[in-house]
mmCIF file of all heavy atoms in Angstrom:
data_model
loop_
_atom_site.group_PDB
_atom_site.id
_atom_site.type_symbol
_atom_site.label_atom_id
_atom_site.label_comp_id
_atom_site.label_asym_id
_atom_site.label_seq_id
_atom_site.Cartn_x
_atom_site.Cartn_y
_atom_site.Cartn_z
ATOM 1 N N ASN A 67 105.333 -34.792 77.425
ATOM 2 C CA ASN A 67 105.981 -34.418 78.644
ATOM 3 C C ASN A 67 105.620 -32.972 79.120
ATOM 4 O O ASN A 67 105.500 -32.744 80.321
ATOM 5 C CB ASN A 67 107.469 -34.557 78.589
ATOM 6 C CG ASN A 67 107.949 -35.977 78.437
ATOM 7 O OD1 ASN A 67 107.231 -36.894 78.878
ATOM 8 N ND2 ASN A 67 109.050 -36.210 77.804
ATOM 9 N N SER A 68 105.467 -32.093 78.140
ATOM 10 C CA SER A 68 105.169 -30.699 78.506
ATOM 11 C C SER A 68 103.673 -30.382 78.627
ATOM 12 O O SER A 68 103.311 -29.410 79.255
ATOM 13 C CB SER A 68 105.794 -29.764 77.461
ATOM 14 O OG SER A 68 105.054 -29.827 76.225
ATOM 15 N N GLY A 69 102.870 -31.175 77.976
ATOM 16 C CA GLY A 69 101.426 -30.934 78.016
ATOM 17 C C GLY A 69 101.025 -29.802 77.086
ATOM 18 O O GLY A 69 99.863 -29.385 77.025
ATOM 19 N N GLU A 70 101.991 -29.271 76.317
ATOM 20 C CA GLU A 70 101.759 -28.162 75.417
ATOM 21 C C GLU A 70 101.716 -28.696 73.946
ATOM 22 O O GLU A 70 102.507 -29.554 73.545
ATOM 23 C CB GLU A 70 102.852 -27.091 75.488
ATOM 24 C CG GLU A 70 102.947 -26.417 76.817
ATOM 25 C CD GLU A 70 104.155 -25.496 76.862
ATOM 26 O OE1 GLU A 70 104.564 -25.040 75.806
ATOM 27 O OE2 GLU A 70 104.600 -25.166 77.958
ATOM 28 N N SER A 71 100.810 -28.119 73.159
ATOM 29 C CA SER A 71 100.718 -28.487 71.759
ATOM 30 C C SER A 71 101.981 -28.067 71.021
ATOM 31 O O SER A 71 102.459 -26.942 71.245
ATOM 32 C CB SER A 71 99.477 -27.893 71.125
ATOM 33 O OG SER A 71 99.397 -28.215 69.784
ATOM 34 N N GLN A 72 102.491 -28.931 70.164
ATOM 35 C CA GLN A 72 103.717 -28.641 69.450
ATOM 36 C C GLN A 72 103.469 -28.403 67.939
ATOM 37 O O GLN A 72 104.393 -28.507 67.164
ATOM 38 C CB GLN A 72 104.702 -29.794 69.638
ATOM 39 C CG GLN A 72 105.028 -30.130 71.074
ATOM 40 C CD GLN A 72 105.775 -29.075 71.807
ATOM 41 O OE1 GLN A 72 106.690 -28.476 71.273
ATOM 42 N NE2 GLN A 72 105.342 -28.854 73.033
ATOM 43 N N ILE A 73 102.265 -28.099 67.583
ATOM 44 C CA ILE A 73 101.894 -28.051 66.200
ATOM 45 C C ILE A 73 102.237 -26.619 65.594
ATOM 46 O O ILE A 73 101.857 -25.604 66.147
ATOM 47 C CB ILE A 73 100.421 -28.325 65.897
ATOM 48 C CG1 ILE A 73 100.089 -29.701 66.355
ATOM 49 C CG2 ILE A 73 100.004 -28.063 64.451
ATOM 50 C CD1 ILE A 73 100.794 -30.801 65.611
ATOM 51 N N THR A 74 102.974 -26.625 64.535
ATOM 52 C CA THR A 74 103.252 -25.454 63.745
ATOM 53 C C THR A 74 102.978 -25.773 62.298
ATOM 54 O O THR A 74 102.882 -26.952 61.961
ATOM 55 C CB THR A 74 104.724 -24.938 63.895
ATOM 56 O OG1 THR A 74 105.543 -25.940 63.287
ATOM 57 C CG2 THR A 74 105.134 -24.731 65.345
ATOM 58 N N MET A 75 102.895 -24.810 61.461
ATOM 59 C CA MET A 75 102.685 -25.028 60.033
ATOM 60 C C MET A 75 103.844 -25.860 59.424
ATOM 61 O O MET A 75 103.653 -26.702 58.617
ATOM 62 C CB MET A 75 102.495 -23.721 59.254
ATOM 63 C CG MET A 75 101.139 -23.014 59.532
ATOM 64 S SD MET A 75 99.746 -24.094 59.153
ATOM 65 C CE MET A 75 99.806 -24.181 57.409
ATOM 66 N N LEU A 76 105.009 -25.578 59.896
ATOM 67 C CA LEU A 76 106.187 -26.270 59.401
ATOM 68 C C LEU A 76 106.100 -27.746 59.842
ATOM 69 O O LEU A 76 106.424 -28.632 59.091
ATOM 70 C CB LEU A 76 107.513 -25.656 59.941
ATOM 71 C CG LEU A 76 108.750 -26.141 59.343
ATOM 72 C CD1 LEU A 76 108.825 -26.018 57.796
ATOM 73 C CD2 LEU A 76 109.972 -25.401 59.934
ATOM 74 N N MET A 77 105.697 -27.971 61.077
ATOM 75 C CA MET A 77 105.572 -29.366 61.554
ATOM 76 C C MET A 77 104.471 -30.120 60.844
ATOM 77 O O MET A 77 104.579 -31.283 60.515
ATOM 78 C CB MET A 77 105.357 -29.417 63.055
ATOM 79 C CG MET A 77 105.306 -30.836 63.614
ATOM 80 S SD MET A 77 106.735 -31.905 63.191
ATOM 81 C CE MET A 77 107.988 -31.199 64.194
#
Side-chain angles (χ1 to χ4, degrees):
N67 292 335
S68 71
E70 297 176 22
S71 178
Q72 306 292 318
I73 299 298
T74 65
M75 289 302 292
L76 189 59
M77 185 52 72

